[in-house]
Structure formats: structure tokens, C-alpha cells
Amino acid sequence: MLFPGQGSQFVGMGQKIMQYPQVRQLYDRASEHLGYDLLDICLNGPKETLDKTEYCQPAVFVTSLATIEVLKETNPKAFDHVIATAGFSLGEITACVFAGILSFDDALKLISVRASAMQEASEEVNSGMITLKLFYASRLPLAIDCAIEYCRFKLNMENPIVRIANYLSPEYQVVAGHDEALEFIIENAEDFNLRSIRRLPVSGAFHTQLMNPAREEVRKVVRRLTLNPPKFPVHTNINGKAPTKITTIERNLSDQIVKPVSWIQTMMILYRRHPGTPYPQTYECGPGKQLGHLLYLTNRPARANYHKIEV
């Protein structure tokens, strides 16, 4: 079971699964906790509101868990032999709920603080994220170094931040940081042989040091929550491994906000097999199909057993 993160949202998500009573109950329960109509934002937007971190993260989280309720109704056998789960960034919290580490209500508390803290951290500086495509002649590390030097010496910025924030696949990566540094990379992309650069619909430089204030807020909340041993492995964004110690899981939930998402490594670990061993069935549970596409780019034979629950 794979759970998407922020950036997978779209206005209208949830419309295709409203006929399931448990789905509406999830949205109602979340709305009561959050103090606003989450389902209305998911279905009707507007996009500018849904894309805001404070609304987007709860929306993606609840919509992702809603697909689990759909799967229980349409294919209950899918839960008979769950061998592992993982989530992209925010999706790691969803995976923790699915695996029984966190309760739904505790996860909402965590996400409410996480989303608000990340939104506040984003508003402190002009920052963002870009995705780009690499090929054999690309020089991304040099582009990042030059962007830092440009900001430091040309723009007199004291501590410019820009780094790889998401290792998506062998071809695609996400870079995050100050807007000035990102603009330098965009404007000089040809010099560094970088292709297909586009801005992501997020409000800040997630998974960089610019999120340090948010990490501290999340850490405080996580320490007050009850975490249970996982029912099955939950592979973390930080290194792709599946820790079992509660203290490690607790630390990862806060640290992953400022550390890169090692999705390539996670996929390698999840789908590592001896020759001749069949690949498991994979379900992407949540809005969008990005994780299925990344699985295709990383491991095409494993992608052959991929399923998507439309929302």
C-alpha cells in the first residue's frame, strides 16, 4: 500500500467514492476535528485554498484513508497479506495510521500542527520547490553550488538554502530552497543540462532546513501522542528502512520534514527480490497517480502489478 503526499491534490477529489458511507463518515469526523468543511474544500476548492498547506495536508490524508475504506468494500482480500506500506512525505503519516501506529484522531492532531507549522515556516521566506529531469550530461550538483554562490555573493544573502529535497526516480528529482536560488537554476537550466523544469504546487521549501521551525513543533506534538508497534513494516522516507522501535518512528516523523525524501531507496528496498520471485500487488491509495508513475520509472516489472483506486 502506497500513500501519496502533498502535491497530489486536485479539486473534485473524493467525488467518485461518495457512495460509500464510511467515506463520508471519515470526512465528517475530520471536519469536526478541524473546525471547517474539509469535504467541501476537496470537492469544490477553490484550487488556491486546497493548495494551501494547512488545508492540503488534511485533505490528502483523509482522501487517502477513504480509499482504504473503498478497498475494504470492493476487494477485502487485498488486506489478507499486507507485507509492507510506505507513504510519500505526508503519506508516511497515512501509512502509520494504516499500520496501526497512530490512531486517526491522533494523526489529525499531528497533521493539523504539521500543516500549520509548515505553512508558517513557508511564509517566513520566499521559497518553493521545482521538479526537473536529469540525463547523462546533467550537472545538478554544480547547478546547486552555483545557485548558492550567486545568492551569497551577487544578492548578499546570508545563508541561502537550496538542495535536492525529493529523490523521485533515477531520472526525476525535486530541488527546494529560496526562490532566488530556484530562479537561478531555472534561468540557467541549459548551462547545466537540466530539462523539464516546473514549479510544484506547494507553498514552501519542504524537506530542507527552512522547515526547522516546523520540525520542532511537530516533535512536541509527537511526544504527546500514543504510538503503537506497527502491524506490518512502514518504510520511512529518511532511508527507506522500516523501523520497529517506537522511539525511532517518533523521531522520523519529525525529522522527515527537514530531510530529503529517499523515494528511490524506498522503492529499491520494497521491491528487492531474488531472481524468479514474483512481485507483490501494489495499491496506490489516495489522489493522483504519481507514485504509480514513479514505480514505472524505477521498476517496470513491479509496476505490472499496480492498482489505483480512483477518487
Side-chain angles (χ1 to χ4, degrees):
M1 304 293 181
L2 303 180
F3 297 97
Q6 190 170 350
S8 63
Q9 73 276 2
F10 61 90
V11 174
M13 64 183 189
Q15 183 64 53
K16 294 180 180 179
I17 53 177
M18 279 297 101
Q19 68 269 33
Y20 299 94
Q22 297 88 342
V23 168
R24 187 171 289 275
Q25 289 172 12
L26 270 183
Y27 282 106
D28 289 344
R29 189 171 161 190
S31 296
E32 185 177 349
H33 175 91
L34 297 167
Y36 58 83
D37 192 337
L38 181 66
L39 180 58
D40 180 63
I41 293 176
C42 289
L43 295 179
N44 304 310
K47 184 178 185 300
E48 293 74 20
T49 300
L50 180 59
D51 284 348
K52 287 185 178 179
T53 299
E54 58 188 306
Y55 299 112
C56 176
Q57 291 193 15
V60 172
F61 167 73
V62 175
T63 302
S64 298
L65 286 180
T67 66
I68 293 296
E69 297 301 324
V70 174
L71 197 56
K72 287 178 182 177
E73 292 287 330
T74 59
N75 186 13
K77 290 184 178 180
F79 300 95
D80 290 346
H81 303 286
V82 178
I83 57 174
T85 184
F88 194 100
S89 189
L90 163 71
E92 188 169 318
I93 299 176
T94 318
C96 285
V97 174
F98 176 63
I101 296 172
L102 286 169
S103 69
F104 178 76
D105 291 336
D106 278 353
L108 273 178
K109 293 176 187 176
L110 173 58
I111 289 171
S112 296
V113 172
R114 184 183 192 269
S116 296
M118 291 175 73
Q119 182 70 42
E120 289 177 11
S122 300
E123 291 171 356
E124 289 182 7
V125 295
N126 293 323
S127 61
M129 306 179 80
I130 57 174
T131 182
L132 46 82
K133 185 177 183 180
L134 307 176
F135 67 111
Y136 73 94
S138 297
R139 296 181 293 171
L140 180 56
L142 179 61
I144 290 173
D145 288 343
C146 290
I148 291 173
E149 294 299 298
Y150 170 79
C151 290
R152 181 177 290 136
F153 296 109
K154 293 291 185 180
L155 303 181
N156 296 316
M157 294 175 63
E158 185 175 345
N159 184 30
I161 300 296
V162 61
R163 65 180 293 179
I164 297 173
N166 302 160
Y167 293 90
L168 300 179
S169 74
E171 289 181 286
Y172 290 93
Q173 294 181 7
V174 171
V175 174
H178 285 103
D179 275 340
E180 295 87 345
L182 297 181
E183 286 302 319
F184 174 88
I185 293 175
I186 292 171
E187 292 172 5
N188 297 279
E190 290 187 8
D191 295 338
F192 302 104
N193 296 309
L194 304 175
R195 298 175 176 175
S196 304
I197 297 182
R198 66 178 181 86
R199 284 269 185 174
L200 292 180
V202 296
S203 57
F206 305 150
H207 303 288
T208 72
Q209 305 94 306
L210 292 175
M211 290 293 115
N212 270 325
R215 175 177 61 173
E216 296 308 312
E217 293 302 313
V218 168
R219 181 175 292 167
K220 294 175 186 176
V221 175
V222 171
R223 287 174 176 171
R224 297 197 298 265
L225 301 179
T226 299
L227 275 65
N228 305 303
K231 297 176 182 177
F232 31 78
V234 177
H235 291 259
T236 179
N237 290 180
I238 290 176
N239 55 22
K241 297 179 180 180
T244 56
K245 289 184 177 179
I246 297 299
T247 53
T248 304
I249 296 172
E250 180 182 285
R251 183 173 64 250
N252 287 347
L253 285 172
S254 56
D255 286 354
Q256 58 120 270
I257 294 175
V258 299
K259 293 189 176 182
V261 175
S262 300
W263 197 249
I264 299 175
Q265 189 173 357
T266 301
M267 293 297 97
M268 294 297 185
I269 293 173
L270 271 176
Y271 295 99
R272 185 166 51 205
R273 296 287 185 278
H274 292 295
T277 304
Y279 288 102
Q281 302 299 309
T282 296
Y283 295 86
E284 180 169 359
C285 304
K289 300 179 181 178
Q290 292 91 334
L291 301 185
H293 181 60
L294 294 179
L295 180 56
Y296 175 82
L297 295 175
T298 306
N299 190 326
R300 293 188 184 184
R303 176 62 171 73
N305 292 337
Y306 164 88
H307 309 274
K308 171 65 187 173
I309 298 96
E310 297 291 343
V311 298

